[in-house]
Amino acid sequence: MGSFSIWHWLIVLVIVLVLFGRGKVSEIMGDFGKGIKSFKQGMNEDEEEAKPTKSDAKPAQITSADPAPSASETTKSDQA
């Protein structure tokens, strides 16, 4: 008599249903499911934070459309 048979578990289930009622058990299981879902979502958020993104891998370089200075810029810098 070291383990429980199916009849033992059925009796325990009936006692739990009588004590807590059907609605209370479903409410508890619903809360349990929400907790698991929240836990998985938190784990996914942690994994996303740990992964480097493309923007983290390379710093952005600022380039201008016209790499050569214009004539007005060269005269201003020559006069100074």
Side-chain angles (χ1 to χ4, degrees), residues 29-67:
M29 294 308 289
D31 291 342
F32 182 71
K34 288 178 186 176
I36 290 175
K37 186 176 182 179
S38 176
F39 176 75
K40 287 181 179 180
Q41 186 178 20
M43 292 297 289
N44 288 337
E45 288 175 0
D46 289 343
E47 288 176 4
E48 288 175 2
E49 289 176 3
K51 292 180 183 177
T53 59
K54 290 182 181 179
S55 62
D56 291 341
K58 283 186 175 180
Q61 296 178 354
I62 301 174
T63 58
S64 63
D66 186 17

